[in-house]
Amino acid sequence: MNVTIPELAGWLKGFDDIAVFGHRAPDGDACGSCAAVTLALRALGKRACACLPGGMPEYLRFLPGQECVVADGDLPFAPRCALAVDVSAPDMLGDDRALFEACEARAVLDHHESNPFFGQVNHVEPERAAAGEMALLLIKALGVALTKDMASCLFAAVSSDTGNFNYSNTTAETFEAAAACVRAGADVDRITGYIYRTRTEARTRLLGLALAELHREGKVAWACVTNAMFERAGALRCDTERIVNYLIEIEGVEIAALATEQEDGASAKFSLRSVAPYNVARDVAQPLGGGGHERAAGITIHRPLAEAVDVVLSRVREVV
């Protein structure tokens, strides 16, 4: 059932033990939105926590609300109600899927066009630039005052999914949401400084190793991050965030892919980017079992890295 945000807010108010779930390999939108909604639920007197597979990524641990976050299903209570935020499909819950599905009441708040409406109640708006926009509206509908901490998390969420307001998905509503966060106390310089202007040495070295292996074929560019590269750079898994943007920014490139070898060596995760007229979610990711947005999508291919790259490039070549 698809519901309005006020209806979702009213539904949530009927529960006390609530787990807010983000997607695996959580990004700024998932982390910021989940943390903000959890803070709002706690402000209502609810027992609530944010479940992020693997926990909050290192580069986002400056955000407030860290005390609300649990990793890998280690909840301090047994949840009755589950809310998936910025989760495009059940598989994207990762190892938390069983915990989500074990809850007697389940809801979804999302902005991916590929979402199959996997909650008992759902609010899905594909035209929204970020789940953070919708989380802001949910917090207002809950009747909770927007605090500086909530606003900081939401500004990070909205900024992250719009490339700091650079992507084509940025709308007037996006700027209005950001403005509301700034009025509530979000520190723009601090937040964007951590996300866009600060990198660890290890993350910088990993970026260099990945770009050194850049491949180009007409309108298509791709690169791979191997397990050996992670070890050589001393980098974390989350350090691949935004590497794919360097590929799509190459003049003349219209579809870009970053392939990251998974720790088991038997699968690879792909981050995809495109420019108009290409829809990488619909035309590349979804046919291969992935999903996402028109210009930004992802897939996991359960084959060794080289084979997985061949599978994805074959699909991309058909599209181009």
Side-chain angles (χ1 to χ4, degrees):
M1 177 174 63
N2 201 22
V3 300
T4 66
I5 283 183
E7 287 171 338
L8 176 59
W11 184 85
L12 285 168
K13 286 181 177 181
F15 300 93
D16 290 317
D17 298 326
I18 305 173
V20 182
F21 290 86
H23 57 72
R24 65 178 184 236
D27 57 6
D29 193 21
C31 292
S33 298
C34 287
V37 169
T38 303
L39 289 170
L41 291 169
R42 288 189 173 190
L44 283 175
K46 307 290 186 183
R47 187 157 59 168
C49 62
C51 300
L52 298 174
M56 188 77 76
E58 188 70 32
Y59 76 100
L60 291 171
R61 289 186 182 168
F62 72 94
L63 287 174
Q66 300 291 327
E67 71 280 2
C68 298
V69 176
V70 297
D72 306 319
D74 187 21
L75 275 71
F77 60 89
R80 292 182 52 223
C81 175
L83 173 64
V85 178
D86 196 37
V87 181
S88 61
D91 284 349
M92 291 301 294
L93 290 161
D95 292 339
D96 286 340
R97 179 174 180 175
L99 183 60
F100 174 87
E101 293 179 343
C103 291
E104 63 188 73
R106 300 177 299 280
V108 171
L109 181 70
D110 187 40
H111 69 131
H112 294 87
E113 62 182 349
S114 58
N115 195 292
F117 290 63
F118 60 94
Q120 295 165 332
V121 297
N122 306 271
H123 184 83
V124 179
E125 293 187 66
E127 67 275 13
R128 289 285 181 181
E133 289 184 34
M134 304 159 71
L136 174 63
L137 295 175
L138 178 61
I139 289 169
K140 290 180 179 179
L142 288 169
V144 175
L146 186 65
T147 65
K148 179 179 179 179
D149 284 352
M150 294 176 203
S152 297
C153 290
L154 292 176
F155 188 92
V158 173
S159 172
S160 293
D161 251 26
T162 59
N164 205 19
F165 311 98
N166 280 302
Y167 297 161
S168 61
N169 62 346
T170 306
T171 65
E173 289 76 17
T174 309
F175 286 115
E176 288 166 1
C181 293
V182 174
R183 282 193 294 270
D187 187 334
V188 176
D189 181 64
R190 181 173 183 271
I191 295 167
T192 58
Y194 272 108
I195 296 177
Y196 302 105
R197 303 191 302 276
T198 304
R199 282 190 303 273
T200 62
E201 179 180 342
R203 189 171 187 170
T204 304
R205 291 186 181 281
L206 186 68
L207 172 63
L209 291 171
L211 294 182
E213 299 299 324
L214 166 70
H215 302 275
R216 173 79 182 274
E217 185 180 289
K219 298 178 181 180
V220 182
W222 70 95
C224 298
V225 179
T226 65
N227 288 331
M229 289 179 182
F230 281 110
E231 184 175 354
R232 182 177 171 187
L236 303 173
R237 291 279 149 178
C238 64
D239 288 332
T240 59
E241 185 75 16
R242 294 194 303 279
I243 291 178
V244 69
N245 293 348
Y246 287 86
L247 308 180
I248 196 62
E249 290 167 2
I250 297 170
E251 185 177 7
V253 170
E254 298 185 9
I255 295 183
L258 179 73
T260 301
E261 184 179 23
Q262 299 302 281
E263 291 174 282
D264 61 5
S267 58
K269 177 185 172 185
F270 290 78
S271 294
L272 305 171
R273 297 291 183 271
S274 68
V275 299
Y278 298 107
N279 184 328
V280 283
R282 182 194 64 206
D283 298 332
V284 181
Q286 289 180 33
L288 296 175
H293 303 289
E294 187 175 9
R295 305 283 177 250
I299 329 163
T300 298
I301 303 293
H302 296 283
R303 297 193 186 185
L305 181 62
E307 293 179 23
V309 169
D310 287 342
V311 169
V312 173
L313 286 180
S314 177
R315 181 65 196 172
V316 169
R317 289 179 183 121
E318 289 181 25
V319 172
V320 173

